[in-house]
Amino acid sequence: MKVLVCVKRVPDTGGGFKLTADGMRVDTTNLGFTVSPHEECAIEEAIRIIEKHGGSSTVLTLGPQAAQEQLREAIAKGITSAILLEAEDYEFWDPAATAQAIAETVKSLGFDILLFGNESADTCNYQVGLRVAHLLDLPCVTGIKALEIQNNTAIAKRETKDGWEVYEVPLPAVFTVREGINTPRHPSLRGIMSAKKVPIEQKKVTKPASQIVRKALKKPQEGRQLEILGQGVDAVPKIVEKLREVGAI
Amino acid sequence: MILAILEIVKGSLTETSLETVTAARDLAQKSNDSVAALLMGKGVSTLAPTLKGIHTVLVAEDPHLEGYLPDALAEIAAYAIRQKSPKIALAPGTETGNDLMARVAARLNLGLATNCVEFSVEGGSLKRVTRLNWGGSLLEEVEIFSSPILLTLAPHALAAQSADGATPTVETLSLTLTEKALRVRMKELIPTEKKGISLTDAKIVIGGGRGMGSAEAFKMLEELASLLHNAAVGATRVATNNNWRPHSDQIGQTGAQIAPDLYIACGISGAIQHMVGCKNSKKILAINKDPEAPIFQRADYGVIGDLHQVVPALIAELKKLKGA
């Protein structure tokens, strides 16, 4: 079994955003980086598939040199190899361009299962996995929260308000994963050490003309006024009052 | 033509579909254009007369269209767009709507702006759209250079409005679906057991974060919820990643989006990832021992203190009141 998992380097935002002076980017001066939550689960799922069925897994990102950090973390967790499609301007690639570059790279590599996050944490486009599937002419199920492989068939489940929708597709196939499909592991110390030595396959890619072009980022208005109800247990009577106001008691 | 691609669930148009119709009518009015809607599914033509203020309703009623068939729906929508060449085609920005439009955009090799909340029409044409980034904690203004323009509308970005007007003309789309269009199809639906009040239905939600420290500590939040009317317990991503709570309890960008009357955030710092999921709460009450925690910038009520003291004291007080 050959499994591909595609991830995106995104800032670990914590409690708030600062934008750059030109308003075009999130100011990442004091921020660390990670991959989107759905993709953390996609990495975990890829590792579990290989642990169970044997074979190899590859993590791929389209991003800057610095994204080696995210690729090596995936390797430290148990992914076999990594591909970096190097583009320092990766934040301004639209989903069609990103999908095109990924599809061209992986089309001849013979993956049985291609995993993506359902949507990236930052731009939330919901498109790259589906576009890659279309370019490679493969079936795609999005937003899955369970995946099982039997012979050459995948049984994927989506969770909806009414219950679990069950899909059965022949491999090769593309899946976009939602957080909750598993609980991602942490890398082991030994994993981290050995991941440093794994060579990363690199290829420079050039951004084609975009169909969707960012003009500005802005913060939405937030209209809450904080009222301090008190310190510690002294605040209890006021909390009770607020619970009464909303009819909770 | 502005084309609204609509979602039908259990034989009815969804609320987000009605919002999409409203946005399509608004865009058509600003650009002096006509409005059409596309209905796909078994027996959907009965819904056409309910769509007032729309000129044409395109109907595709292939007998195969039962259950969720994303590629089949995408084939039909792409066909409708090729046939009618609308200036703009838009669909609801739901999970299924975004999935559908991404498949359509891939087939037509067009750009797609998902989860739009604002449209800027100048001189009769759509110049820019504003869309959600980071689950809605940032807004991104984009220009779209591909044509037709494909969009999805973020749920509840605007309120659905009814319109007057003549009953629309109904036009049947007939195309034969290929085998390939049917290869992704739902095989069965396993209903989930409903237990207790769901996070999205509860009027009061009590959330626990990193400050809870253990799965054990959530028992006191459960007890607090049991003393309140219509209350449920949720958690942050930190709590679900630590296996203190199941992922189904997660409130946030990759979990549930809640809108209760009151959200009580216990030991939650206020990470963007989490706040996206609770920002529609009418009131937010935060209990946190760190007065600098970002959550206090996004809450209505603040209690600066250790939740491990405040919550038990609150439970004791509520029990006393109940006993009285």
Side-chain angles (χ1 to χ4, degrees):
Chain A
M1 194 73 63
K2 277 185 82 175
V3 184
L4 174 75
V5 51
C6 295
V7 300
K8 183 177 186 185
R9 175 178 162 93
V10 294
D12 201 349
T13 53
F17 284 113
K18 256 174 70 184
L19 297 180
T20 52
D22 63 359
M24 288 293 279
R25 301 172 56 245
V26 171
D27 182 353
T28 55
T29 317
N30 297 313
L31 297 178
F33 286 83
T34 178
V35 300
S36 304
H38 295 316
E39 294 156 13
E40 271 188 38
C41 294
I43 291 169
E44 177 66 28
E45 199 63 22
I47 296 169
R48 288 187 191 189
I49 293 169
I50 296 309
E51 282 173 348
K52 194 166 171 191
H53 300 277
S56 67
S57 56
T58 303
V59 60
L60 179 150
T61 195
L62 188 153
Q65 270 300 331
Q68 283 204 26
E69 181 194 354
Q70 280 64 50
L71 298 177
R72 291 199 191 277
E73 182 165 351
I75 293 169
K77 288 177 176 179
I79 295 283
T80 323
S81 63
I83 301 173
L84 171 65
L85 300 182
E86 192 196 341
E88 294 299 323
D89 58 352
Y90 75 111
E91 287 165 279
F92 299 101
W93 283 58
D94 71 7
T98 305
Q100 187 74 45
I102 294 172
E104 270 169 28
T105 305
V106 306
K107 70 178 176 223
S108 56
L109 299 181
F111 290 108
D112 303 292
I113 299 172
L114 296 85
L115 301 177
F116 292 79
N118 193 51
E119 84 277 4
S120 66
D122 56 351
T123 49
C124 305
N125 280 308
Y126 294 83
Q127 294 173 42
V128 175
L130 276 165
R131 285 185 187 265
V132 169
H134 181 77
L135 291 168
L136 301 178
D137 193 18
L138 297 177
C140 178
V141 185
T142 60
I144 65 162
K145 271 194 171 177
L147 183 63
E148 226 183 286
I149 313 297
Q150 289 174 359
N151 303 318
N152 219 26
T153 302
I155 296 146
K157 292 182 190 159
R158 303 171 84 212
E159 193 180 22
T160 68
K161 248 171 90 175
D162 296 322
W164 289 88
E165 295 179 355
V166 184
Y167 294 81
E168 204 179 286
V169 289
L171 297 181
V174 177
F175 301 95
T176 77
V177 167
R178 282 191 71 87
E179 192 181 61
I181 189 170
N182 55 43
T183 308
R185 71 190 69 188
H186 296 289
S188 67
L189 200 59
R190 226 181 83 200
I192 294 170
M193 296 314 287
S194 59
K196 286 182 182 166
K197 292 175 221 134
V198 174
I200 290 176
E201 192 185 322
Q202 297 189 32
K203 186 170 103 180
K204 273 205 162 61
V205 285
T206 312
K207 184 165 78 73
S210 300
Q211 294 166 319
I212 309 276
V213 176
R214 177 183 296 172
K215 290 294 167 182
L217 286 178
K218 51 191 182 184
K219 292 187 184 182
Q221 287 181 334
E222 291 180 62
R224 293 185 199 267
Q225 278 291 326
L226 181 68
E227 176 190 342
I228 296 288
L229 301 184
Q231 308 272 339
V233 295
D234 295 344
V236 167
K238 281 214 169 153
I239 301 175
V240 171
E241 195 182 296
K242 298 300 173 194
L243 288 171
R244 247 194 210 111
E245 275 174 27
V246 295
I249 44 177
Chain B
M1 175 191 283
I2 312 292
L3 178 64
I5 298 169
L6 304 182
E7 284 189 335
I8 295 149
V9 174
K10 293 177 190 141
S12 307
L13 287 164
T14 58
E15 184 66 19
T16 46
S17 284
L18 299 175
E19 291 165 6
T20 303
V21 169
T22 306
R25 277 198 310 254
D26 185 49
L27 283 166
Q29 197 211 341
K30 285 181 180 151
S31 51
N32 196 21
D33 207 335
S34 62
V35 196
L38 172 62
L39 300 177
M40 300 178 277
K42 218 173 159 185
V44 293
S45 58
T46 52
L47 294 168
T50 67
L51 289 165
K52 307 276 188 197
I54 288 205
H55 304 92
T56 315
V57 175
L58 308 172
V59 173
E61 290 192 308
D62 193 285
H64 289 103
L65 295 179
E66 253 190 304
Y68 186 55
L69 278 159
D71 284 319
L73 298 181
E75 281 294 314
I76 297 168
Y79 173 80
I81 292 167
R82 280 196 200 100
Q83 291 290 307
K84 301 291 170 186
S85 307
K87 274 197 200 122
I88 303 169
L90 73 163
T94 54
E95 284 291 321
T96 42
N98 285 330
D99 171 300
L100 170 68
M101 289 305 274
R103 288 175 201 263
V104 171
R107 279 169 171 76
L108 299 174
N109 195 20
L110 294 173
L112 163 65
T114 48
N115 292 314
C116 299
V117 290
E118 267 173 41
F119 306 101
S120 152
V121 181
E122 283 168 39
S125 58
L126 182 61
K127 288 290 179 218
R128 287 185 182 189
V129 301
T130 303
R131 55 182 301 274
L132 303 181
N133 271 21
W134 293 97
S137 31
L138 271 188
L139 300 173
E140 181 189 32
E141 222 176 276
V142 296
E143 200 168 335
I144 302 161
F145 289 95
S146 49
S147 171
I149 290 174
L150 303 184
L151 309 171
T152 69
L153 179 70
H156 316 311
L158 51 81
Q161 279 165 4
S162 54
D164 298 326
T167 308
T169 316
V170 176
E171 201 180 306
T172 306
L173 289 181
S174 49
L175 76 160
T176 315
L177 290 170
T178 58
E179 266 306 303
K180 211 161 81 180
L182 304 171
R183 68 182 168 181
V184 177
R185 97 171 303 156
M186 190 172 89
K187 245 188 83 188
E188 64 175 311
L189 180 75
I190 306 166
T192 28
E193 268 177 71
K194 301 259 185 292
K195 46 172 189 185
I197 304 158
S198 79
L199 275 178
T200 46
D201 292 335
K203 292 288 176 201
I204 313 291
V205 175
I206 306 161
R210 191 187 296 274
M212 298 301 295
S214 67
E216 198 65 24
F218 274 87
K219 283 189 183 148
M220 67 178 160
L221 300 193
E222 293 285 359
E223 189 179 5
L224 176 57
S226 72
L227 294 164
L228 303 173
H229 300 312
N230 216 340
V233 174
T236 64
R237 186 161 177 258
V238 171
T240 58
N241 272 1
N242 278 316
N243 282 322
W244 298 342
R245 300 294 286 187
H247 184 271
S248 53
D249 281 0
Q250 191 195 102
I251 298 162
Q253 192 174 343
T254 48
Q257 324 275 316
I258 59 166
D261 291 340
L262 178 67
Y263 178 52
I264 305 174
C266 304
I268 291 174
S269 66
I272 298 282
Q273 143 83 22
H274 181 68
M275 298 314 289
V276 165
C278 67
K279 68 177 162 47
N280 293 327
S281 306
K282 282 202 187 109
K283 296 284 181 193
I284 297 175
L285 189 161
I287 305 172
N288 200 304
K289 61 183 177 190
D290 175 11
E292 302 298 320
I295 191 147
F296 288 122
Q297 291 161 31
R298 300 190 181 88
D300 302 277
Y301 310 123
V303 175
I304 298 161
D306 185 350
L307 74 98
H308 298 278
Q309 291 164 6
V310 178
V311 174
L314 178 60
I315 289 170
E317 181 65 18
L318 291 173
K319 279 185 175 164
K320 207 168 81 189
L321 288 170
K322 289 222 162 170

